[in-house]
Amino acid sequence: MSQAKGDRRERELVNELDAAGFAVMRAPASGSATERELPDVLAGDGEVFYAIEAKSSAGDPIYLTGEEVEALIFFAQNFGAKPRIGVRFDREDWYFFHPGDLHVTDGGNYRVKKETAIADGTDFDEFVGRSEKVTLEEVGDGGDDGPDEEILRVLNAVKQDVMDVEEAADLLE
């Protein structure tokens, strides 16, 4: 992927974090501005602070070198921030991982596949505290004895053409 596209993605992440109420800055020319490796984005909301290495891809797996991840962790620890890897695949949202949750290759690098990001990553809304991920297993453990009988009765009436969809919608509101 081109450096320009990567820069655009980083600016996009900065703007989204800003809109979510975070104080945020993009490290200028992160990785080359100084002798020290810097994260791509620093963000905080007064309660939580993140040092983020942002990567994007058209669809291929995203790889990070062991050195990139080590530098992120080192910086985050010294700065008092939580280290996170932010990944974005084309036509998908941002997903976030703690470095320890990434797949480590035999060569000591880190990899994130698109399917892994979608299935296991923290999505943007959860990352900024607007929602919380609930798994199907957790939903099943809710002590719920099954679907609401009234809803089933109304849906069955629609199925049997006894009631039209608009009537059903009005009843279920």
Side-chain angles (χ1 to χ4, degrees), residues 14 37 40 51 63 67 73 87 97 101 105 115 148 154 159 162 172:
V14 165
E37 288 289 325
D40 295 320
Y63 288 92
E67 292 80 22
I73 293 168
V87 298
F97 292 88
D101 294 333
T105 67
E115 307 82 50
D148 183 284
V154 170
K159 182 179 177 183
V162 175
L172 296 175

Side-chain angles (χ1 to χ4, degrees), residues 5-74:
K5 186 173 183 181
D7 290 345
R8 253 192 337 270
R9 294 289 193 218
E10 286 177 19
R11 285 190 299 275
E12 168 191 288
L13 177 58
V14 165
N15 290 335
E16 288 182 32
L17 286 165
D18 180 61
F22 280 73
V24 61
M25 68 170 280
R26 182 172 168 247
S30 55
S32 64
T34 69
E35 294 291 318
R36 295 180 309 276
E37 288 289 325
L38 299 173
D40 295 320
V41 177
L42 291 172
D45 67 357
E47 292 180 24
V48 65
F49 303 92
Y50 294 111
I52 304 168
E53 186 67 26
K55 298 289 184 184
S56 59
S57 172
D60 298 328
I62 292 173
Y63 288 92
L64 297 98
T65 66
E67 292 80 22
E68 283 178 297
V69 175
E70 288 171 18
L72 173 68
I73 293 168
F74 179 79

Side-chain angles (χ1 to χ4, degrees), residues 121-135:
T122 299
D123 68 19
F124 188 82
D125 283 341
E126 183 179 4
F127 185 71
V128 299
R130 288 193 287 221
S131 72
E132 188 173 322
K133 185 184 288 184
V134 178
T135 65

Side-chain angles (χ1 to χ4, degrees), residues 93-110:
D93 293 324
W94 283 97
Y95 292 94
F96 300 88
F97 292 88
H98 183 280
D101 294 333
L102 297 178
H103 173 79
V104 181
T105 67
D106 292 340
N109 294 319
Y110 293 77

